[in-house]
Structure formats: C-alpha cells, structure tokens
Amino acid sequence: MAKYDKADIERRMNGAVESLKSDLSGLRTGRANTSLLDPVAVEVYGAMMPLNQVATVSAPEPRMLSVQVWDKANVSAVERGIAKANLGLNPIQDGQTIRLPMPDLTQDRRKDLAKLAGEYGEKGKIAIRNVRRDGMEALKDDEKAKDISEDDRKRSEDEVQKLTDKYVAETDTAVEKKVQEILTQ
C-alpha cells in the first residue's frame, strides 16, 4: 500500500498558507479590521471562550471597532479580555457596547509589526518544508516497499518540490503584502 498521497501533501501545504494568512490578518495596520479581535479569549460562565461567541464585532468606521456584548453581565469580562490580549487598544465602555478606537501606529511599532509578519512567514515556510519532508520520506518508503520504481520516486519528488516552491512563494507574497500595508498606512 503506497504511503505517498499528492493530494494530502497539497492540502497540508495549502493549510499552512491559509493559517499564515489568518495570522497576518490579526496584525494591526492602523485600520479597523474585525479579525484583529479573533485571538481574544474572554472568561465568561466559568470558562474561556472566543470573543465572537459572546459578542458581535463590527467596524462602523475605518478607525473604530465596535463590540456589541450579548449579555450585559459579560461586558466587564469582555473589556478585561480585550485588555489582556495586549493589542494596544483602549476599550471605551458604552452600555453593552465597547468601542475600540484605533490609535495611530508609531514608526517603531510599525517596524515591530513588520518584523512579526516576517516571523509568521518563516513559521509558515517551516510548516511547508515539514510537509515536503514527510512527502519525500513517504516516497522513499514506497520505493523500499517496491510499490513504485526509482523513476516514479524521482518524478514524484520533483512534483513535491514544485508544490513546495509554489506555496513558499505564496507565503512570501502574503508577508510582503502585509509588510507594505503596515509600513505605508
């Protein structure tokens, strides 16, 4: 039974790129983006829950986020969760709504965010290379088990390398785009 599965390799590499894009969308660029609050967890009802399960997040203005808390009893817990997330935002409570004005980014903060985007990109590339390594090992195992010939292994290794190059390039493009967005806002 062959271990190598090209579709699985491609799916896992694509997953690494999608995960990177999700991480990058959480980086603040000076514009209000609801995905900025995705990593925020709130302690309610004795458990930690994602913010989007206790409130509605919207961006009514380009430089303002609005968090509409569903249960009035959770407003202060949501406010604490946002503060703990260390996003550099200053929550303003207004009844059951919490407003989050987007402060201007300093040049130093922009550079830090650009560096962080680069680190996210490197993690994404490492994940892609790990998938490549798994694919190459599976091909060698298949050849040892006599499931495929040496020529088939080499041809498939070329396919895996082409997929790796494609997804690494996608990673670079996503990081470059985010760095430009951070530095030019």
Side-chain angles (χ1 to χ4, degrees):
M1 176 74 191
K3 291 182 177 182
Y4 172 71
D5 180 359
K6 181 182 175 189
D8 182 56
I9 301 268
E10 190 161 8
R11 180 187 56 76
R12 289 172 55 200
M13 286 183 179
N14 189 45
V17 171
E18 291 306 313
S19 174
L20 166 72
K21 287 179 179 174
S22 170
D23 289 346
L24 289 176
S25 72
L27 289 180
R28 195 159 63 98
T29 60
R31 293 184 65 98
N33 185 343
T34 58
S35 63
L36 179 64
L37 297 178
D38 286 351
V40 175
V42 181
E43 188 174 345
V44 289
Y45 312 120
M48 293 304 282
M49 297 177 79
L51 178 64
N52 63 9
Q53 291 185 8
V54 295
T56 303
V57 180
S58 62
E61 301 169 28
R63 301 186 57 76
M64 172 83 67
L65 284 176
S66 174
V67 180
Q68 180 69 43
V69 184
W70 300 329
D71 184 348
K72 193 173 178 92
N74 295 333
V75 173
S76 60
V78 168
E79 201 170 357
R80 274 194 307 276
I82 292 169
K84 272 187 195 169
N86 203 10
L87 298 170
L89 299 174
N90 203 7
I92 300 169
Q93 188 177 336
D94 182 15
Q96 275 185 247
T97 303
I98 297 172
R99 288 178 298 156
L100 300 162
M102 297 277 121
D104 286 330
L105 293 175
T106 63
Q107 201 57 38
D108 287 344
R109 181 70 178 137
R110 287 178 192 278
K111 287 177 183 168
D112 290 345
L113 287 172
K115 190 191 294 184
L116 187 59
E119 289 172 17
Y120 285 171
E122 201 49 48
K123 284 181 190 168
K125 288 181 195 177
I126 289 169
I128 291 167
R129 289 184 193 119
N130 287 341
V131 174
R132 177 187 64 190
R133 186 195 61 224
D134 293 347
M136 297 296 193
E137 286 173 5
L139 286 166
K140 287 176 184 155
D141 291 347
D142 287 349
E143 184 186 10
K144 278 183 192 160
K146 303 273 189 247
D147 289 338
I148 60 172
S149 68
E150 184 180 348
D151 289 344
D152 287 341
R153 177 184 57 85
K154 286 182 179 175
R155 209 173 301 118
S156 294
E157 282 179 349
D158 285 345
E159 284 178 358
V160 171
Q161 187 56 50
K162 282 181 181 144
L163 284 174
T164 303
D165 294 343
K166 172 186 164 194
Y167 285 106
V168 165
E170 265 188 55
T171 299
D172 288 339
T173 303
V175 170
E176 247 175 64
K177 183 178 170 196
K178 189 63 174 188
V179 167
Q180 283 299 94
E181 195 178 311
I182 290 168
L183 296 177
T184 58
Q185 283 288 322

